[in-house]
Amino acid sequence: MAPLCLNSSFLPSSLHYLHSRSFHCPQSSSGFCFQTRTRSRSKAIRLSFAKAEADVRKEDIVIVGAGIAGLATAVSLHRLGIGSLVIEQADSLRTGGTSLTLFKNGWSVLDALGVGSDLRSQFLEIKGMAVKSEDGKELRSFGFKDEDASQEVRAVERRILLETLANQLPPESVKFSSELAKIKTSGNGVTILELVNGTQIYANIVIGCDGIRSPIAKWIGFSVPKYVGHCAYRGLGYYPNGQPFEPKLNYIYGRGVRAGYVPVSPTKVYWFICYNNPTPGYLALVMLKHIWMRFYSAKN
């Protein structure tokens, strides 16, 4: 069967592939509980760690990767009454990273997953966008609802999105410390996943959400990802006494480089610098400082 490629509705860079009984989306045990704080409330996330000893288990659906794509897929199935097992090589949710700016299609997906209302209460609605050149000249400025009255734009912290999705799943749904070592198909069509710790999982359906270096994608036969020619620095600025910016998406463009920032919440601002680079790697700090000063001057 030829692969079928479906765009993720709220994660533009993710791709979902279907090949026979295997899917790919670019990203026993003792109970594990930790608290997350979002403003005035806290929630318990109950997941589980995989046992260290080797064993054999059978599952109808196994999702490889507990990132946004993997957890969103598991929640979608759960809401349809279909169980799944998510395996993740890390020992906990990978809550690093910065934020995602989601437009109305993304919020429609989050509503369908049952988490939209909870997330809306934690993040600012972005009203518009301003684009400037590196010398500070404004190229364009507009309100999102002036362009589309139904538009909804908010920047969401990746950590909070992951934890919110994980909270929708039953206990024992996610197995951490479960790195995939080998994958093969048995004579009767069942997919066998062998983990680094020796555990074997027999699965009727395997869904790969394990990133650009995906073993699932390699097993299916997809080509190796190619470097696109640019790198980026990204971060979240924290203002304990409140950030001073308007709820607006700000872009600044220069030759071979662009930067931007957007308020995420009353106390946090997402920022990025993206630059052309012929090979993967990092700019020297002095070069990064030079680029930042160019755009800081343009902003002011």
Side-chain angles (χ1 to χ4, degrees):
M1 180 182 293
L4 173 66
C5 174
L6 302 174
N7 280 324
S8 167
S9 299
F10 71 100
L11 188 58
S13 62
S14 294
L15 296 177
H16 299 244
Y17 305 95
L18 168 64
H19 186 277
S20 185
R21 292 188 175 187
S22 297
F23 300 75
H24 176 256
C25 317
Q27 233 263 129
S28 166
S29 56
S30 58
F32 174 66
C33 175
F34 62 92
Q35 297 288 325
T36 67
R37 289 189 174 85
T38 57
R39 293 189 187 176
S40 60
R41 61 189 173 189
S42 64
K43 287 185 177 179
I45 296 177
R46 296 193 174 275
L47 303 171
S48 57
F49 287 94
K51 273 189 172 180
E53 67 266 18
D55 61 1
V56 176
R57 58 187 299 169
K58 295 181 180 180
E59 300 285 343
D60 284 331
I61 301 174
V62 175
I63 299 169
V64 182
I68 295 172
L71 294 179
T73 301
V75 172
S76 298
L77 292 171
H78 176 63
R79 289 177 65 83
L80 293 172
I82 302 172
S84 64
L85 174 69
V86 182
I87 60 173
E88 166 60 47
Q89 66 178 359
D91 58 8
S92 63
L93 286 179
R94 296 187 178 189
T95 55
T98 52
S99 73
L100 308 171
T101 302
L102 305 179
F103 287 69
K104 66 177 183 179
N105 64 326
W107 287 101
S108 296
V109 172
L110 294 177
D111 286 333
L113 293 174
V115 298
S117 295
D118 187 26
L119 291 169
R120 281 186 183 91
S121 67
Q122 302 177 62
F123 302 104
L124 299 175
E125 182 170 6
I126 307 304
K127 303 298 185 182
M129 179 174 180
V131 181
K132 293 183 179 182
S133 62
E134 63 177 312
D135 61 4
K137 180 182 178 182
E138 185 170 282
L139 304 176
R140 191 182 179 201
S141 180
F142 60 91
F144 289 126
K145 291 191 183 297
D146 293 335
E147 302 291 320
D148 179 356
S150 66
Q151 188 60 268
E152 179 181 8
V153 184
R154 299 172 197 267
V156 176
E157 280 189 64
R158 183 178 183 277
R159 173 184 63 82
I160 294 177
L161 176 56
L162 278 178
E163 292 172 351
T164 301
L165 289 170
N167 272 322
Q168 306 301 306
L169 296 172
E172 309 296 315
S173 295
V174 182
K175 299 289 186 183
F176 295 105
S177 302
S178 300
E179 182 177 355
L180 182 61
K182 297 179 182 178
I183 181 170
K184 59 185 178 180
T185 303
S186 67
N188 60 2
V190 173
T191 301
I192 303 172
L193 304 174
E194 183 175 322
L195 306 184
V196 171
N197 65 9
T199 298
Q200 288 191 333
I201 304 175
Y202 288 67
N204 293 320
I205 296 174
V206 174
I207 304 175
C209 303
D210 45 348
I212 62 172
R213 295 179 179 85
S214 164
I216 303 298
K218 183 178 180 180
W219 176 68
I220 291 175
F222 292 132
S223 59
V224 176
K226 296 181 179 179
Y227 176 59
V228 296
H230 57 256
C231 300
Y233 288 87
R234 297 176 290 180
L236 277 174
Y238 177 56
Y239 297 76
N241 297 320
Q243 53 86 6
F245 302 103
E246 296 179 51
K248 184 168 60 176
L249 181 58
N250 299 273
Y251 273 98
I252 306 168
Y253 284 88
R255 185 180 297 275
V257 63
R258 59 190 173 91
Y261 62 95
V262 59
V264 175
S265 70
T267 58
K268 293 183 180 180
V269 176
Y270 166 62
W271 62 268
F272 73 90
I273 298 175
C274 182
Y275 58 94
N276 295 346
N277 206 35
T279 58
Y282 298 96
L283 279 179
L285 290 179
V286 63
M287 187 62 177
L288 176 62
K289 180 179 179 181
H290 172 68
I291 291 173
W292 179 252
M293 290 306 297
R294 284 166 58 190
F295 289 115
Y296 181 81
S297 298
K299 180 179 77 67
N300 292 282

